CSV table of all heavy atoms in Angstrom, one decimal:
chain,number,residue,atom,x,y,z
A,9,VAL,N,234.0,163.8,16.1
A,9,VAL,CA,232.7,163.9,15.6
A,9,VAL,C,232.0,162.5,15.6
A,9,VAL,O,232.7,161.5,15.6
A,9,VAL,CB,232.6,164.5,14.2
A,9,VAL,CG1,233.2,165.9,14.3
A,9,VAL,CG2,233.4,163.7,13.3
A,10,SER,N,230.7,162.5,15.5
A,10,SER,CA,230.0,161.2,15.3
A,10,SER,C,229.2,161.3,14.1
A,10,SER,O,228.8,162.3,13.6
A,10,SER,CB,229.1,161.0,16.5
A,10,SER,OG,228.2,162.0,16.6
A,11,ALA,N,228.9,160.1,13.5
A,11,ALA,CA,228.2,160.0,12.2
A,11,ALA,C,226.7,160.1,12.5
A,11,ALA,O,226.1,159.5,13.4
A,11,ALA,CB,228.5,158.7,11.5
A,12,SER,N,226.0,161.0,11.7
A,12,SER,CA,224.6,161.1,11.8
A,12,SER,C,223.9,160.3,10.6
A,12,SER,O,224.6,159.8,9.8
A,12,SER,CB,224.2,162.6,11.6
A,12,SER,OG,224.5,163.1,10.4
A,13,GLY,N,222.6,160.3,10.6
A,13,GLY,CA,221.9,159.6,9.5
A,13,GLY,C,222.3,160.3,8.2
A,13,GLY,O,222.5,161.5,8.1
A,14,GLY,N,222.4,159.4,7.1
A,14,GLY,CA,222.8,159.9,5.8
A,14,GLY,C,224.3,159.9,5.6
A,14,GLY,O,224.8,160.3,4.6
A,15,GLY,N,225.0,159.5,6.7
A,15,GLY,CA,226.5,159.3,6.5
A,15,GLY,C,227.3,160.6,6.6
A,15,GLY,O,228.4,160.6,6.4
A,16,ARG,N,226.6,161.8,7.0
A,16,ARG,CA,227.4,163.0,7.1
A,16,ARG,C,227.9,163.0,8.6
A,16,ARG,O,227.6,162.2,9.4
A,16,ARG,CB,226.5,164.2,6.9
A,16,ARG,CG,226.0,164.3,5.5
A,16,ARG,CD,225.3,165.6,5.3
A,16,ARG,NE,224.9,165.9,3.9
A,16,ARG,CZ,225.6,166.4,3.0
A,16,ARG,NH1,226.8,166.8,3.3
A,16,ARG,NH2,225.2,166.6,1.8
A,17,GLN,N,228.8,164.0,8.8
A,17,GLN,CA,229.3,164.2,10.1
A,17,GLN,C,228.4,165.1,10.9
A,17,GLN,O,227.9,166.1,10.4
A,17,GLN,CB,230.7,164.9,10.0
A,17,GLN,CG,231.8,164.1,9.2
A,17,GLN,CD,232.3,162.9,10.0
A,17,GLN,OE1,232.1,162.9,11.2
A,17,GLN,NE2,232.8,161.9,9.3
A,18,SER,N,228.2,164.7,12.2
A,18,SER,CA,227.3,165.5,13.1
A,18,SER,C,228.2,166.4,14.0
A,18,SER,O,229.2,165.9,14.5
A,18,SER,CB,226.4,164.6,13.9
A,18,SER,OG,225.7,165.4,14.8
A,19,PHE,N,227.9,167.6,14.2
A,19,PHE,CA,228.6,168.5,15.0
A,19,PHE,C,227.7,169.0,16.1
A,19,PHE,O,226.9,169.9,15.9
A,19,PHE,CB,229.2,169.7,14.2
A,19,PHE,CG,229.9,169.2,13.0
A,19,PHE,CD1,229.3,169.2,11.8
A,19,PHE,CD2,231.2,168.7,13.1
A,19,PHE,CE1,230.0,168.7,10.6
A,19,PHE,CE2,231.9,168.3,12.0
A,19,PHE,CZ,231.3,168.3,10.7
A,20,ALA,N,227.9,168.6,17.3
A,20,ALA,CA,227.0,168.9,18.4
A,20,ALA,C,226.9,170.4,18.7
A,20,ALA,O,225.9,170.9,19.2
A,20,ALA,CB,227.4,168.1,19.7
A,21,HIS,N,228.0,171.1,18.5
A,21,HIS,CA,228.1,172.5,18.9
A,21,HIS,C,227.7,173.4,17.7
A,21,HIS,O,227.7,174.6,17.8
A,21,HIS,CB,229.5,172.9,19.4
A,21,HIS,CG,230.6,172.5,18.4
A,21,HIS,ND1,230.9,171.2,18.2
A,21,HIS,CD2,231.5,173.3,17.7
A,21,HIS,CE1,232.0,171.2,17.3
A,21,HIS,NE2,232.3,172.4,17.1
A,22,VAL,N,227.3,172.9,16.6
A,22,VAL,CA,226.7,173.7,15.5
A,22,VAL,C,225.3,173.1,15.2
A,22,VAL,O,225.2,172.0,14.7
A,22,VAL,CB,227.6,173.6,14.2
A,22,VAL,CG1,226.9,174.4,13.1
A,22,VAL,CG2,229.0,174.2,14.5
A,23,GLY,N,224.3,173.9,15.4
A,23,GLY,CA,222.9,173.4,15.1
A,23,GLY,C,222.7,173.3,13.7
A,23,GLY,O,222.7,174.3,12.9
A,24,ASN,N,222.4,172.1,13.2
A,24,ASN,CA,222.0,171.9,11.8
A,24,ASN,C,223.0,172.6,10.8
A,24,ASN,O,222.6,173.5,10.1
A,24,ASN,CB,220.6,172.5,11.5
A,24,ASN,CG,220.0,172.1,10.2
A,24,ASN,OD1,220.5,171.1,9.6
A,24,ASN,ND2,219.1,172.8,9.7
A,25,PRO,N,224.2,172.1,10.7
A,25,PRO,CA,225.2,172.7,9.9
A,25,PRO,C,224.8,172.6,8.4
A,25,PRO,O,225.3,173.5,7.6
A,25,PRO,CB,226.5,171.9,10.2
A,25,PRO,CG,226.0,170.6,10.7
A,25,PRO,CD,224.8,170.9,11.5
A,26,GLU,N,224.0,171.7,8.0
A,26,GLU,CA,223.6,171.5,6.6
A,26,GLU,C,222.9,172.8,6.1
A,26,GLU,O,222.9,173.0,4.8
A,26,GLU,CB,222.7,170.3,6.4
A,26,GLU,CG,223.3,169.0,6.6
A,26,GLU,CD,223.3,168.5,8.0
A,26,GLU,OE1,223.0,169.3,8.9
A,26,GLU,OE2,223.6,167.3,8.2
A,27,ARG,N,222.3,173.6,6.9
A,27,ARG,CA,221.5,174.8,6.5
A,27,ARG,C,222.5,175.8,5.9
A,27,ARG,O,222.0,176.7,5.2
A,27,ARG,CB,220.7,175.4,7.7
A,27,ARG,CG,221.6,175.9,8.8
A,27,ARG,CD,220.7,176.2,10.0
A,27,ARG,NE,221.5,176.5,11.2
A,27,ARG,CZ,221.8,177.7,11.6
A,27,ARG,NH1,221.3,178.8,11.0
A,27,ARG,NH2,222.5,177.9,12.7
A,28,TYR,N,223.8,175.7,6.1
A,28,TYR,CA,224.7,176.7,5.6
A,28,TYR,C,225.1,176.3,4.2
A,28,TYR,O,225.7,177.2,3.5
A,28,TYR,CB,226.0,176.8,6.5
A,28,TYR,CG,225.7,177.3,7.8
A,28,TYR,CD1,225.5,176.5,8.9
A,28,TYR,CD2,225.7,178.7,8.1
A,28,TYR,CE1,225.3,177.0,10.2
A,28,TYR,CE2,225.4,179.2,9.3
A,28,TYR,CZ,225.2,178.4,10.4
A,28,TYR,OH,225.0,178.9,11.6
A,29,LEU,N,224.9,175.1,3.7
A,29,LEU,CA,225.4,174.6,2.4
A,29,LEU,C,224.7,175.3,1.3
A,29,LEU,O,223.5,175.4,1.3
A,29,LEU,CB,225.3,173.1,2.4
A,29,LEU,CG,226.0,172.3,3.5
A,29,LEU,CD1,225.9,170.8,3.2
A,29,LEU,CD2,227.5,172.7,3.7
A,30,LEU,N,225.4,175.6,0.2
A,30,LEU,CA,224.8,176.1,-1.0
A,30,LEU,C,224.2,174.9,-1.8
A,30,LEU,O,223.1,175.0,-2.4
A,30,LEU,CB,225.9,176.7,-1.9
A,30,LEU,CG,225.4,177.4,-3.2
A,30,LEU,CD1,224.5,178.6,-2.9
A,30,LEU,CD2,226.6,177.8,-4.0
A,31,ASN,N,224.8,173.7,-1.7
A,31,ASN,CA,224.3,172.5,-2.3
A,31,ASN,C,224.2,171.4,-1.2
A,31,ASN,O,225.3,171.0,-0.7
A,31,ASN,CB,225.2,172.0,-3.5
A,31,ASN,CG,224.7,170.8,-4.1
A,31,ASN,OD1,223.8,170.1,-3.6
A,31,ASN,ND2,225.3,170.4,-5.3
A,32,PRO,N,223.0,171.1,-0.8
A,32,PRO,CA,222.9,170.1,0.3
A,32,PRO,C,223.5,168.8,0.1
A,32,PRO,O,223.7,168.0,1.0
A,32,PRO,CB,221.4,170.0,0.5
A,32,PRO,CG,220.8,170.4,-0.8
A,32,PRO,CD,221.7,171.5,-1.3
A,33,ASN,N,223.8,168.5,-1.2
A,33,ASN,CA,224.5,167.2,-1.5
A,33,ASN,C,226.0,167.2,-1.4
A,33,ASN,O,226.6,166.2,-1.5
A,33,ASN,CB,224.0,166.7,-2.9
A,33,ASN,CG,222.5,166.4,-3.0
A,33,ASN,OD1,222.0,165.8,-2.1
A,33,ASN,ND2,221.9,166.9,-4.0
A,34,ASN,N,226.6,168.4,-1.2
A,34,ASN,CA,228.0,168.5,-1.1
A,34,ASN,C,228.5,168.0,0.2
A,34,ASN,O,227.9,168.2,1.2
A,34,ASN,CB,228.5,170.0,-1.3
A,34,ASN,CG,228.5,170.4,-2.8
A,34,ASN,OD1,228.4,169.6,-3.7
A,34,ASN,ND2,228.6,171.7,-3.0
A,35,PRO,N,229.7,167.4,0.2
A,35,PRO,CA,230.4,167.0,1.4
A,35,PRO,C,230.8,168.3,2.1
A,35,PRO,O,231.1,169.3,1.5
A,35,PRO,CB,231.6,166.2,1.0
A,35,PRO,CG,231.8,166.5,-0.4
A,35,PRO,CD,230.5,166.9,-1.0
A,36,TYR,N,231.0,168.2,3.4
A,36,TYR,CA,231.4,169.4,4.2
A,36,TYR,C,232.0,168.9,5.5
A,36,TYR,O,231.9,167.8,5.9
A,36,TYR,CB,230.2,170.3,4.5
A,36,TYR,CG,229.2,169.7,5.5
A,36,TYR,CD1,229.3,170.0,6.9
A,36,TYR,CD2,228.2,168.8,5.1
A,36,TYR,CE1,228.5,169.5,7.8
A,36,TYR,CE2,227.4,168.2,6.1
A,36,TYR,CZ,227.5,168.6,7.4
A,36,TYR,OH,226.7,168.1,8.4
A,37,PHE,N,232.6,169.9,6.3
A,37,PHE,CA,233.0,169.7,7.7
A,37,PHE,C,233.0,171.0,8.4
A,37,PHE,O,232.9,172.1,7.7
A,37,PHE,CB,234.3,169.0,7.8
A,37,PHE,CG,235.5,169.8,7.4
A,37,PHE,CD1,236.3,170.4,8.4
A,37,PHE,CD2,235.9,170.0,6.1
A,37,PHE,CE1,237.4,171.2,8.0
A,37,PHE,CE2,237.0,170.8,5.7
A,37,PHE,CZ,237.8,171.4,6.7
A,38,GLU,N,233.0,170.9,9.7
A,38,GLU,CA,232.9,172.1,10.5
A,38,GLU,C,234.3,172.4,11.1
A,38,GLU,O,235.0,171.4,11.4
A,38,GLU,CB,231.8,172.0,11.6
A,38,GLU,CG,231.8,173.1,12.6
A,38,GLU,CD,232.6,172.8,13.8
A,38,GLU,OE1,233.0,171.7,13.9
A,38,GLU,OE2,232.7,173.7,14.7
A,39,LYS,N,234.7,173.6,11.2
A,39,LYS,CA,236.0,174.0,11.7
A,39,LYS,C,235.9,175.1,12.8
A,39,LYS,O,235.3,176.1,12.5
A,39,LYS,CB,236.9,174.5,10.5
A,39,LYS,CG,238.2,175.2,10.9
A,39,LYS,CD,239.3,174.2,11.3
A,39,LYS,CE,240.6,175.0,11.6
A,39,LYS,NZ,241.6,174.0,12.1
């Protein structure tokens, strides 16, 4: 993975993974 703005992980094969989060401030990863 590569780092996106804001220090989160960017996943090229998942469009906008942050939209799935219940709390947008929580850390996450894609599997």
Side-chain angles (χ1 to χ4, degrees):
V9 297
S10 60
S12 66
R16 292 187 178 275
Q17 300 286 341
S18 174
F19 309 99
H21 52 293
V22 176
N24 189 22
E26 291 89 347
R27 65 193 170 99
Y28 294 96
L29 304 181
L30 185 66
N31 180 348
N33 294 317
N34 279 346
Y36 73 94
F37 71 102
E38 174 264 355
K39 166 78 174 175

